[in-house]
Amino acid sequence: MTKDYVVGIDIGGQSVKMGVIDRRANFVARKSFSMAGYGADDTVRFLDDVCKYIVELTANVGLDSIQGVGIGAPDGNYYDGTIVDAVNLPWAKGKIVPLRDHISGKLGLNVTVTNDANAAAIGEMTYGNAIGMKNFIEITLGTGVGSGIVVDGKLVYGHDGFAGELGHTTAVRYNGRKCGCGKTGCLETYASSGGVCQTAREMLEASNEPSVLRQLETITSKCVFEAAVAGDKIAINVFEYTGRILGEKFADFIAFSAPEAIIIFGGVSNAGDLLLNPTKKAMEENVVGLWKGKVKVLRSGLPESDAAILGAGALAW
Amino acid sequence: MTKDYVVGIDIGGQSVKMGVIDRRANFVARKSFSMAGYGADDTVRFLDDVCKYIVELTANVGLDSIQGVGIGAPDGNYYDGTIVDAVNLPWAKGKIVPLRDHISGKLGLNVTVTNDANAAAIGEMTYGNAIGMKNFIEITLGTGVGSGIVVDGKLVYGHDGFAGELGHTTAVRYNGRKCGCGKTGCLETYASSGGVCQTAREMLEASNEPSVLRQLETITSKCVFEAAVAGDKIAINVFEYTGRILGEKFADFIAFSAPEAIIIFGGVSNAGDLLLNPTKKAMEENVVGLWKGKVKVLRSGLPESDAAILGAGALAW
């Protein structure tokens, strides 16, 4: 039987998105479910549920027609197919979770794992704004800040398979925010959705400037974005601040791999020019002369909900 | 005629070192000359002198037996064979110098150019402490701070051929030292030989602590090293400070490419454990948990005077 489909799975901090995809990137089935129900003791139940849903989703086309399963997951390791100490996933924090072997053993399918940002980068190369690019960096700005680094047309995995943890490079050297990874000052603590909210709370605290954000019980990065679009000064400053920190780090990343473009993806990137303009400005101010004006900063060309699934699926072909 | 030799050329801030090398890394001829005599207007004279010396050095074996010329030079570009705006070379500052085409055109030899740090990394892979490593970073600590990044067994050149300018990533975010590249706070301004000397001068200025360095008319990084070995407290603190800044950046570099090792090379690295110990300590304190205790920091396994020549020569095979 010809293997006409792959299963792409995007494991995120909030939810899991799954799709059965054909060779032309059409979805023949899809499902998503919340991560909320899985606690520290639910590792096996989570893996078993993923297997169950794979079987359900592929019922129409048949498991025999599946070329393989590609999974993008935080701290997913390409070399051994595990998730290692994913701080944003309660069932994978402080553990080595044998994602590939468990699912592969149970269903008899080839399973390939990488981190969610690498999967997004593969999606971007295949269907998005990095088509034809051989050197670029995909930065995901969501619950966490991840990255997929492409050098000479290939993802950088490094010695141990975990390369590209740019969310955990140091953005603020002294008195930086405490990060879930145990460090302080990580880029993630400023440029993730939670980081944006914390910046908003700190700015509200530090001034008497009127702001619609003061009326909210819970601040989300989406609320901050909507307030900024409506002209709220504090909300605009939040993205200015976030963009400045992001752009300073982008300048460092450029010095590393000299990419043609840095592509931002994920919830926080929906702020668009409100975030991109200060990011580009800070990047240009901080980058070595030879790259000034030469490296593009782009938003992802992929539909947000499908990018990581498509990328994960592409891993399996 | 069989091509049994290559010419390796290491262009540094202070001097040029050249060698005619056989397939077993034996030198059959070598020469070095000072950079001091070449000013901003001497670009062509410099290139012509290099050609003249190549002819002289290969007189015994004959130009016909030369497989090619490999050149490591600051800001040397692998893709087009130029040097672009090398701030530490007066004759190449603010200019694009067509190194490959000039020499190749004049002598009819194949010429390959890369930056001096990349050449050192190739030397390290071929003859030094990175034999068998597929992922490592070579950091050169000399007049400038350069780097050669090896991913999956290959040097990272990036979109434009200039990847790996880690000396110009930001080490100090506010009130950093002014760098020759136009930025402030670059790693190079702290971890180069000049950076070490400036740290020493600043520390002498800021305290009344007795120090043998106070008796010197001109401080060199070698003097600081010798003073530290003799137990001079300020000199020891200079390397503590340098190592801390270096180690903090190494933690970021690891998050990028997950290397098996970071290998330091060049004059400042001769400080050995005086520099390596604080570097490792700061690196371990700042690196993401999954890499703690896992990434080696090594000194180069190459004889300093020959590493870049051997690496440059290896480019030409």
Side-chain angles (χ1 to χ4, degrees):
Chain A
M1 188 166 175
T2 59
K3 307 285 190 185
D4 287 334
Y5 304 97
V6 290
V7 177
I9 303 180
D10 168 30
I11 298 180
Q14 311 289 344
S15 66
V16 178
K17 292 166 190 154
M18 306 173 62
V20 181
I21 309 162
D22 72 11
R23 288 180 188 273
R24 295 178 172 211
N26 299 308
F27 284 74
V28 297
R30 62 165 83 217
K31 177 183 183 69
S32 70
F33 61 97
S34 168
M35 202 59 103
Y38 301 95
D41 297 329
D42 298 324
T43 312
V44 175
R45 185 165 68 83
F46 175 79
L47 297 179
D48 286 345
D49 283 355
V50 169
C51 290
K52 187 178 75 183
Y53 297 141
I54 291 173
V55 173
E56 282 178 21
L57 274 182
T58 56
N60 279 340
V61 299
L63 266 187
D64 284 354
S65 70
I66 302 297
Q67 172 75 24
V69 178
I71 306 178
D75 302 298
N77 189 295
Y78 178 76
Y79 293 143
D80 66 9
T82 63
I83 297 182
V84 180
D85 191 20
V87 294
N88 293 319
L89 304 173
W91 52 271
K93 189 172 177 175
K95 296 177 189 171
I96 299 177
V97 179
L99 195 58
R100 181 185 70 194
D101 290 352
H102 188 96
I103 297 171
S104 172
K106 203 141 184 174
L107 301 180
L109 292 169
N110 289 321
V111 178
T112 310
V113 174
T114 190
N115 74 44
D116 42 354
N118 283 343
I122 290 176
E124 203 75 57
M125 285 172 85
T126 318
Y127 314 105
N129 279 338
I131 292 174
M133 286 189 194
K134 294 205 154 257
N135 294 277
F136 73 99
I137 299 176
E138 183 96 2
I139 305 273
T140 62
L141 306 170
T143 309
V145 171
S147 59
I149 302 162
V150 173
V151 165
D152 207 17
K154 286 187 288 290
L155 270 169
V156 174
Y157 288 111
H159 181 56
D160 56 7
F162 290 118
E165 283 294 344
L166 300 185
H168 300 287
T169 57
T170 302
V172 176
R173 194 166 171 246
Y174 292 118
N175 303 313
R177 293 177 185 169
K178 190 147 178 48
C179 183
C181 79
K183 289 182 56 184
T184 55
C186 288
L187 178 59
E188 176 165 299
T189 64
Y190 297 88
S192 63
S193 50
V196 167
C197 297
Q198 186 170 342
T199 301
R201 287 190 301 268
E202 288 174 4
M203 285 188 174
L204 291 168
E205 184 87 12
S207 91
N208 292 316
E209 181 84 29
S211 169
V212 295
L213 299 174
R214 294 192 191 278
Q215 297 145 26
L216 302 173
E217 203 160 308
T218 310
I219 291 174
T220 64
S221 60
K222 190 157 174 271
C223 299
V224 182
F225 168 58
E226 286 163 355
V229 169
D232 189 275
K233 209 168 153 189
I234 287 205
I236 291 168
N237 285 345
V238 169
F239 287 110
E240 286 277 340
Y241 179 82
T242 309
R244 196 166 72 238
I245 285 184
L246 205 52
E248 286 174 4
K249 293 307 291 181
F250 283 9
D252 270 14
F253 302 162
I254 292 169
F256 206 101
S257 69
E260 180 176 353
I262 297 178
I263 301 179
I264 60 171
F265 170 81
V268 174
S269 74
N270 292 334
D273 285 345
L274 281 165
L275 178 67
L276 273 175
N277 288 341
T279 300
K280 287 177 187 169
K281 185 162 178 283
M283 181 183 99
E284 292 295 339
E285 281 168 9
N286 286 279
V287 79
V288 181
L290 69 99
W291 288 300
K292 278 194 201 299
K294 298 212 175 132
V295 180
K296 290 173 272 214
V297 179
L298 305 171
R299 286 181 66 183
S300 171
L302 296 166
E304 193 186 335
S305 56
D306 292 342
I309 310 183
L310 287 170
L315 271 174
W317 284 119
Chain B
M1 188 166 174
T2 59
K3 307 285 191 185
D4 286 333
Y5 304 97
V6 290
V7 177
I9 304 179
D10 168 31
I11 299 181
Q14 311 290 342
S15 66
V16 178
K17 292 167 190 151
M18 306 173 61
V20 181
I21 310 162
D22 72 12
R23 289 179 187 273
R24 296 178 170 210
N26 298 308
F27 284 74
V28 296
R30 61 165 83 217
K31 179 184 180 70
S32 71
F33 62 98
S34 168
M35 202 58 107
Y38 301 94
D41 297 329
D42 297 324
T43 312
V44 175
R45 185 166 68 83
F46 175 79
L47 296 179
D48 286 345
D49 282 355
V50 169
C51 290
K52 187 177 73 183
Y53 297 141
I54 290 174
V55 172
E56 280 179 22
L57 274 182
T58 57
N60 279 340
V61 298
L63 266 188
D64 285 355
S65 71
I66 302 298
Q67 172 76 24
V69 178
I71 306 177
D75 302 298
N77 189 295
Y78 178 76
Y79 293 143
D80 65 10
T82 63
I83 296 182
V84 180
D85 191 19
V87 294
N88 293 318
L89 303 173
W91 51 272
K93 189 172 176 173
K95 296 177 190 171
I96 298 176
V97 178
L99 195 58
R100 180 185 71 195
D101 291 352
H102 188 95
I103 298 171
S104 171
K106 202 141 184 173
L107 300 181
L109 292 170
N110 288 322
V111 178
T112 310
V113 174
T114 191
N115 73 46
D116 42 353
N118 283 344
I122 291 175
E124 203 74 58
M125 285 172 84
T126 317
Y127 313 106
N129 279 338
I131 293 174
M133 286 189 194
K134 293 205 155 255
N135 294 276
F136 73 98
I137 300 175
E138 183 96 2
I139 305 273
T140 62
L141 306 169
T143 311
V145 171
S147 59
I149 303 161
V150 173
V151 166
D152 206 18
K154 288 186 287 291
L155 270 168
V156 174
Y157 289 112
H159 181 56
D160 56 7
F162 290 118
E165 283 293 344
L166 300 185
H168 300 286
T169 57
T170 302
V172 175
R173 193 165 171 248
Y174 292 118
N175 303 314
R177 293 177 185 168
K178 190 145 179 48
C179 183
C181 79
K183 288 181 57 184
T184 56
C186 288
L187 179 59
E188 176 165 298
T189 64
Y190 297 88
S192 62
S193 49
V196 167
C197 297
Q198 187 170 340
T199 301
R201 287 191 300 269
E202 288 174 3
M203 285 187 174
L204 291 168
E205 184 88 13
S207 90
N208 292 318
E209 181 83 28
S211 169
V212 295
L213 299 174
R214 294 192 191 279
Q215 296 144 27
L216 301 173
E217 203 159 308
T218 309
I219 291 175
T220 64
S221 59
K222 190 157 174 271
C223 300
V224 182
F225 167 58
E226 286 163 354
V229 168
D232 188 277
K233 208 167 154 188
I234 288 208
I236 290 169
N237 284 345
V238 168
F239 286 110
E240 285 278 340
Y241 179 84
T242 309
R244 196 166 71 238
I245 286 184
L246 206 51
E248 286 174 5
K249 294 307 291 181
F250 282 10
D252 270 16
F253 303 161
I254 292 169
F256 206 101
S257 70
E260 180 175 354
I262 297 178
I263 301 178
I264 60 172
F265 171 80
V268 174
S269 73
N270 292 334
D273 285 345
L274 282 164
L275 178 68
L276 274 175
N277 288 341
T279 299
K280 287 176 187 169
K281 186 163 178 281
M283 183 183 98
E284 293 295 339
E285 282 168 8
N286 285 279
V287 79
V288 181
L290 70 98
W291 288 299
K292 277 193 202 300
K294 297 211 175 135
V295 180
K296 291 174 273 220
V297 179
L298 305 171
R299 286 181 67 184
S300 172
L302 296 166
E304 193 187 337
S305 55
D306 292 342
I309 311 183
L310 286 169
L315 272 174
W317 285 118

